[in-house]
Amino acid sequence: MAIDSKHLPEDPKILQQMVLDLMAQLDREFSERGKIETLLRELLDAKRNRKSEQLSADQLALFAAAWQARQAATEASESNAGPDDEDDDAKPGVGQADRKKKTGRRSLPRHLKRERILHDLPDEEKHCDTCQQDLRPIGEESSERYEYIPAQLTVIEDVCKKYACACTVRTASKPPQPIEKGIAGASLLAQVIVSKLADHLPLHRQEKMFERHGVEISRKSMCGWMAQCADLLNPLYAAAKKVLFRSKVIGTDDTSVKVLDRKLPFARTGRIWPYYGDQEHPVILYAYTPTRERAGPEKFLAGYRGYLQADAYGGYDAFFKDPARGLIEVGCWAHSRRYFHKALESDQARRGPALLLIAQLYRIEKQGRLLAAEDRLQLRQRQACPILEKLHQYLLEIQREVLPKSPEGRAVRYTLKNWQALTRYLEDGSLDIDNHRTEHTIRGVAVGRGNWMFFGSDIGGRTAAVLRSFVASCQRVNVDPFAWFKDVLARIPSHSINRIVELLPHNWASAQA
């Protein structure tokens, strides 16, 4: 209702309605202002501060006291959570006193090529003027230092000899190359791929680096090389996907990337999806999709049956509701903890006890990290189940005390809504409490997009996804990505398709050993 301050109505009912409208408008504006302030605070924290959800021992002690007070107020007979339940990581000095810090300079790696330079005294200093005797050698002192030899480009000339007789001509054949009739050999292709997707160097920077070597290689040429290498490795990518699908559990997540589109005046947003295999199938694959629609992961995961650990992305809900898909949802406690941590500043009294109980869950996981799956499962059933029951009851109690759309309300709603998936890790000792390993694989993409900024097209996104898959898989099994790409790109043109699985990074590493 429009208000004219100079001509207010005299009817009390109209005035009453005007007051109600103003109150509703103020409530909406207050809610919107709260959302903007929360978003602004998160953005400033992300830009200024180190992103960490670790709580100090003092904070956990305060949360423990708040939990004790709440429990004592409700049920005095119930055993209270004490300071002994704190997360080991939060206790000052735990694990530090027993570990001696390594001091002094480390010895230089023995695998590096060494050059011995001998420094001797001049002949005139090998005689003692005091005793008039010649000095005799009694040993030597040695020290080592690093010296850097710049990389260099070499031109390899393949010469194929020709022979002839009266009836025929024969020419010797050269080994097949990754790019037929191309000027780039396997080692140069490996350098370009690893520099961009492991070291995050954009192609235009690599172009400048090659110029310093006196070689002109355009970024357009390098972009074409990467696309051709991705096409060459597509059969290996398909073989890796078969290995991935044999995993008991696959972790997945997604992150955004900018993609140029000539039809639009601005860069649109594409998505990169990592898929993380279990310990027996150490494969990491990436998939690119132009949008975040459900069709992308649905197409990639077609044919997989087992556990799928992810955040609460709504696109996955249809997978888990359909029994024919055979997918079982596993939640991520790191996501849940993140919601509570964001609400900590606005509601420490209620969020603190929840964070304390989650810290206790992680303390149990730390204890069982080195145990076998069966023993870890027994440890969880014995210690984690009671804590989860306390946390569930606590969240149900405070759900009535918080506003649904507030940061603390969203934290409670997320956890209770996904409670079954969050407690799924209690069913199998081989399941993880969170999806941290998969989230860590996104870091390489996040750091990279801060350097190369965008993909030139959807084809470029798919190329990067295929090549990044093998970079990440190599890093997972401690294989040098450059050595792997150099060897595999040289061998795969003539390698039997029936033995293509031998070239996967974890199998390649075993063969090299």
Side-chain angles (χ1 to χ4, degrees), residues 315-488:
Y316 295 130
D317 292 344
F319 303 164
F320 305 127
K321 292 178 182 178
D322 184 7
R325 289 298 303 268
L327 291 178
I328 305 173
E329 183 180 11
V330 183
C332 174
W333 273 104
H335 278 81
S336 177
R337 181 178 60 185
R338 197 166 299 141
Y339 276 98
F340 286 105
H341 198 274
K342 289 179 179 179
L344 185 60
E345 185 175 341
S346 59
D347 189 5
Q348 182 169 324
R350 293 188 182 94
R351 301 287 76 75
L355 285 170
L356 173 69
L357 295 175
I358 295 175
Q360 293 175 11
L361 295 177
Y362 273 88
R363 169 184 173 242
I364 296 170
E365 292 305 302
K366 185 177 180 180
Q367 292 177 351
R369 187 177 302 166
L370 301 179
L371 298 178
E374 296 78 8
D375 298 332
R376 191 182 304 115
L377 179 60
Q378 293 179 7
L379 178 66
R380 290 171 177 173
Q381 296 287 347
R382 186 172 62 253
Q383 297 188 21
C385 283
I387 296 174
L388 285 166
E389 291 176 3
K390 291 181 182 179
L391 178 59
H392 189 252
Q393 184 61 35
Y394 174 69
L395 294 180
L396 291 175
E397 292 175 4
I398 66 174
Q399 187 179 24
R400 300 185 294 270
E401 305 172 6
V402 298
L403 296 175
K405 295 185 178 180
S406 64
E408 49 271 22
R410 288 197 296 269
V412 174
R413 186 172 67 253
Y414 175 90
T415 305
L416 292 177
K417 180 182 177 182
N418 300 285
W419 188 257
Q420 185 177 6
L422 288 171
T423 56
R424 187 83 65 190
Y425 80 105
L426 297 176
E427 299 178 2
D428 194 317
S430 61
L431 300 178
D432 290 328
I433 190 174
D434 57 33
N435 204 23
H436 261 327
R437 290 194 177 107
T438 308
E439 289 184 346
H440 184 72
T441 64
I442 293 180
R443 188 173 183 273
V445 179
V447 175
R449 70 184 174 210
N451 290 273
W452 37 256
M453 303 299 291
F454 54 81
F455 293 142
S457 64
D458 290 332
I459 295 176
R462 297 186 188 97
T463 295
V466 171
L467 298 178
R468 175 66 195 172
S469 298
F470 296 113
V471 170
S473 296
C474 285
Q475 293 171 338
R476 180 175 178 179
V477 295
N478 297 319
V479 167
D480 178 13
F482 175 83
W484 184 86
F485 274 104
K486 178 184 175 182
D487 182 66
V488 171

Side-chain angles (χ1 to χ4, degrees), residues 11-278:
D11 189 343
K13 293 184 177 180
I14 297 178
L15 290 173
Q16 185 179 19
Q17 184 62 41
M18 292 171 63
V19 171
L20 292 175
D21 291 343
L22 288 173
M23 291 176 62
Q25 183 179 353
L26 286 173
D27 287 341
R28 288 194 300 269
E29 292 180 354
F30 181 80
S31 177
E32 290 296 325
R33 180 181 175 181
K35 292 180 181 178
I36 295 173
E37 289 179 349
T38 301
L39 179 60
L40 181 60
R41 183 170 59 251
E42 292 177 0
L43 291 174
L44 290 174
D45 289 342
K47 187 169 184 64
R48 295 176 179 174
N49 304 329
R50 179 177 178 269
K51 189 176 181 181
S52 174
E53 298 169 7
Q54 188 174 4
L55 300 173
S56 66
D58 293 336
Q59 286 178 299
L60 287 175
L62 289 173
F63 298 160
W67 173 255
Q68 287 178 342
R70 186 180 184 93
Q71 292 296 96
T74 54
E75 293 184 45
S77 61
E78 183 177 342
S79 60
N80 301 326
D84 291 339
D85 292 329
E86 297 174 9
D87 190 356
D88 285 349
D89 290 337
K91 292 183 180 181
V94 173
Q96 298 177 4
D98 298 334
R99 287 198 301 264
K100 295 182 180 179
K101 293 184 177 180
K102 296 182 179 180
T103 58
R105 180 183 297 177
R106 295 182 179 180
S107 58
L108 305 189
R110 303 304 304 173
H111 69 274
L112 295 179
K113 181 181 178 181
R114 277 168 163 72
E115 179 182 351
R116 181 178 172 89
I117 302 177
L118 183 63
H119 304 280
D120 200 356
L121 290 173
D123 291 338
E124 57 271 16
E125 293 184 17
K126 294 182 181 179
H127 183 76
C128 179
D129 296 334
T130 303
C131 65
Q132 299 301 318
Q133 293 184 4
D134 292 334
L135 301 182
R136 63 184 183 278
I138 59 172
E140 59 185 25
E141 294 180 359
S142 65
S143 61
E144 294 181 328
R145 69 179 186 274
Y146 285 118
E147 288 290 347
Y148 179 75
I149 300 176
Q152 60 182 2
L153 288 168
T154 302
V155 176
I156 303 297
E157 180 182 5
D158 290 307
V159 180
C160 301
K161 300 202 70 173
K162 302 176 70 174
Y163 296 87
C165 66
C167 61
T168 186
V169 176
R170 294 181 182 176
T171 305
S173 60
K174 66 178 182 179
Q177 297 299 308
I179 300 177
E180 194 63 31
K181 298 183 180 179
I183 63 170
S187 59
L188 180 57
L189 296 173
Q191 174 65 23
V192 173
I193 294 170
V194 173
S195 293
K196 179 171 181 179
L197 298 176
D199 302 328
H200 319 298
L201 283 175
L203 296 182
H204 70 87
R205 293 186 194 169
Q206 296 190 51
E207 184 179 17
K208 297 295 183 182
M209 294 171 65
F210 287 128
E211 285 181 3
R212 293 199 297 268
H213 293 286
V215 179
E216 293 185 7
I217 302 178
S218 68
R219 67 194 76 175
K220 183 178 180 180
S221 297
M222 289 185 279
C223 186
W225 292 347
M226 292 181 65
Q228 289 174 289
C229 288
D231 291 340
L232 186 63
L233 293 172
N234 266 331
L236 193 58
Y237 183 89
K241 188 175 179 180
K242 292 181 180 179
V243 175
L244 176 72
F245 277 20
R246 292 201 290 268
S247 300
K248 176 186 288 188
V249 55
I250 293 178
T252 184
D253 208 333
D254 69 290
T255 188
S256 61
V257 288
K258 295 295 183 183
V259 185
L260 296 185
D261 193 334
R262 294 184 178 181
K263 299 178 181 179
L264 300 174
F266 53 86
R268 55 182 172 81
T269 302
R271 311 297 297 191
I272 289 288
W273 308 75
Y275 296 93
Y276 194 97
D278 60 20

